Amino acid sequence: MSAASTTPARENDTAAIRALLESSAAAWARGDGAACGAHFTEDATDVTFTGTVYHGPAEIGGAHQALFESFLKGTHLTVDLLDLRFPGPDTAIAVTRGEVHKGARPRRLGKLATYTLIRTAGGDWRIAAVQKTKHRPLTEALTFHARPKTRPAPRPAA
């Protein structure tokens, strides 16, 4: 995060966004699709790492519920915030690394997600869009080896 984002207001926003992501993960752990969907704006999009696009909290929550009742039953979602920036007073972009798992927290978090978050008229933060992808460390390492200039600069933790 930039120095401009360390004001008390930004610290409060950062805490609220972390709480939103934690609440979403808690809803996942409960297998509560409706609660997962409630974290999204009415016009939200959720692009899964398989390429499926869901729209709005009802569709997003319903899809999650169907998954929770089948092969995601009893799973947990771990999410670590890697980067958070605020391009405007009521807009934030968060990059996370995470993993779906059963049991203890996994050692490797192999999925990345970019969230666009907005502050609602009521002052709460909600997810307007999320795009997920699977991290491919071998492909990444080969690319960095073959083309070192493609390696991004190190960034401080969010």
Side-chain angles (χ1 to χ4, degrees), residues 1 18 81-83 155-158:
M1 292 185 301
R18 283 184 188 279
L81 185 61
L82 298 178
D83 186 48
R155 295 186 57 90

PDB file of all heavy atoms in Angstrom, residues 1 18 81-83 155-158:
ATOM      1  N   MET A   1       0.840  -1.168   0.000  1.00  0.00           N
ATOM      2  CA  MET A   1       0.000   0.000   0.000  1.00  0.00           C
ATOM      3  C   MET A   1       0.887   1.234   0.000  1.00  0.00           C
ATOM      4  O   MET A   1       1.969   1.221   0.555  1.00  0.00           O
ATOM      5  CB  MET A   1      -0.898   0.008   1.228  1.00  0.00           C
ATOM      6  CG  MET A   1      -1.943  -1.082   1.195  1.00  0.00           C
ATOM      7  SD  MET A   1      -3.108  -1.012   2.544  1.00  0.00           S
ATOM      8  CE  MET A   1      -2.058  -1.144   3.958  1.00  0.00           C
ATOM      9  N   ARG A  18     -10.672  -6.062   5.214  1.00  0.00           N
ATOM     10  CA  ARG A  18     -10.202  -7.334   5.786  1.00  0.00           C
ATOM     11  C   ARG A  18     -11.359  -8.073   6.462  1.00  0.00           C
ATOM     12  O   ARG A  18     -11.518  -9.284   6.305  1.00  0.00           O
ATOM     13  CB  ARG A  18      -9.089  -7.091   6.800  1.00  0.00           C
ATOM     14  CG  ARG A  18      -7.742  -6.777   6.196  1.00  0.00           C
ATOM     15  CD  ARG A  18      -6.680  -6.644   7.304  1.00  0.00           C
ATOM     16  NE  ARG A  18      -5.428  -6.182   6.810  1.00  0.00           N
ATOM     17  CZ  ARG A  18      -4.506  -6.953   6.215  1.00  0.00           C
ATOM     18  NH1 ARG A  18      -4.742  -8.233   6.060  1.00  0.00           N
ATOM     19  NH2 ARG A  18      -3.381  -6.434   5.786  1.00  0.00           N
ATOM     20  N   LEU A  81      -4.464 -11.279   2.159  1.00  0.00           N
ATOM     21  CA  LEU A  81      -4.452 -10.029   1.409  1.00  0.00           C
ATOM     22  C   LEU A  81      -3.011  -9.684   1.040  1.00  0.00           C
ATOM     23  O   LEU A  81      -2.162  -9.503   1.909  1.00  0.00           O
ATOM     24  CB  LEU A  81      -5.068  -8.913   2.261  1.00  0.00           C
ATOM     25  CG  LEU A  81      -5.241  -7.558   1.613  1.00  0.00           C
ATOM     26  CD1 LEU A  81      -6.169  -7.642   0.396  1.00  0.00           C
ATOM     27  CD2 LEU A  81      -5.804  -6.578   2.634  1.00  0.00           C
ATOM     28  N   LEU A  82      -2.718  -9.632  -0.266  1.00  0.00           N
ATOM     29  CA  LEU A  82      -1.372  -9.322  -0.745  1.00  0.00           C
ATOM     30  C   LEU A  82      -1.173  -7.843  -1.015  1.00  0.00           C
ATOM     31  O   LEU A  82      -0.105  -7.290  -0.774  1.00  0.00           O
ATOM     32  CB  LEU A  82      -1.074 -10.087  -2.040  1.00  0.00           C
ATOM     33  CG  LEU A  82      -1.084 -11.594  -1.971  1.00  0.00           C
ATOM     34  CD1 LEU A  82      -0.813 -12.181  -3.356  1.00  0.00           C
ATOM     35  CD2 LEU A  82      -0.065 -12.096  -0.972  1.00  0.00           C
ATOM     36  N   ASP A  83      -2.206  -7.207  -1.564  1.00  0.00           N
ATOM     37  CA  ASP A  83      -2.081  -5.808  -1.971  1.00  0.00           C
ATOM     38  C   ASP A  83      -3.453  -5.158  -1.872  1.00  0.00           C
ATOM     39  O   ASP A  83      -4.461  -5.785  -2.208  1.00  0.00           O
ATOM     40  CB  ASP A  83      -1.558  -5.737  -3.414  1.00  0.00           C
ATOM     41  CG  ASP A  83      -1.252  -4.317  -3.865  1.00  0.00           C
ATOM     42  OD1 ASP A  83      -0.571  -3.590  -3.109  1.00  0.00           O
ATOM     43  OD2 ASP A  83      -1.699  -3.933  -4.959  1.00  0.00           O
ATOM     44  N   ARG A 155       6.980  -6.489  -3.570  1.00  0.00           N
ATOM     45  CA  ARG A 155       6.061  -5.526  -2.975  1.00  0.00           C
ATOM     46  C   ARG A 155       5.928  -5.832  -1.488  1.00  0.00           C
ATOM     47  O   ARG A 155       5.914  -6.992  -1.101  1.00  0.00           O
ATOM     48  CB  ARG A 155       4.700  -5.613  -3.641  1.00  0.00           C
ATOM     49  CG  ARG A 155       4.752  -5.208  -5.116  1.00  0.00           C
ATOM     50  CD  ARG A 155       3.390  -5.156  -5.732  1.00  0.00           C
ATOM     51  NE  ARG A 155       2.485  -4.269  -5.055  1.00  0.00           N
ATOM     52  CZ  ARG A 155       2.329  -2.974  -5.355  1.00  0.00           C
ATOM     53  NH1 ARG A 155       3.035  -2.433  -6.300  1.00  0.00           N
ATOM     54  NH2 ARG A 155       1.454  -2.247  -4.709  1.00  0.00           N
ATOM     55  N   PRO A 156       5.776  -4.792  -0.691  1.00  0.00           N
ATOM     56  CA  PRO A 156       5.554  -5.040   0.743  1.00  0.00           C
ATOM     57  C   PRO A 156       4.195  -5.680   0.967  1.00  0.00           C
ATOM     58  O   PRO A 156       3.280  -5.512   0.154  1.00  0.00           O
ATOM     59  CB  PRO A 156       5.607  -3.634   1.353  1.00  0.00           C
ATOM     60  CG  PRO A 156       5.318  -2.710   0.221  1.00  0.00           C
ATOM     61  CD  PRO A 156       5.796  -3.386  -1.042  1.00  0.00           C
ATOM     62  N   ALA A 157       4.062  -6.417   2.024  1.00  0.00           N
ATOM     63  CA  ALA A 157       2.799  -7.070   2.357  1.00  0.00           C
ATOM     64  C   ALA A 157       1.745  -6.029   2.669  1.00  0.00           C
ATOM     65  O   ALA A 157       2.044  -4.947   3.190  1.00  0.00           O
ATOM     66  CB  ALA A 157       2.981  -7.999   3.546  1.00  0.00           C
ATOM     67  N   ALA A 158       0.499  -6.344   2.351  1.00  0.00           N
ATOM     68  CA  ALA A 158      -0.625  -5.414   2.596  1.00  0.00           C
ATOM     69  C   ALA A 158      -0.957  -5.390   4.066  1.00  0.00           C
ATOM     70  O   ALA A 158      -0.767  -6.302   4.796  1.00  0.00           O
ATOM     71  CB  ALA A 158      -1.829  -5.837   1.789  1.00  0.00           C
TER      72      ALA A 158
END
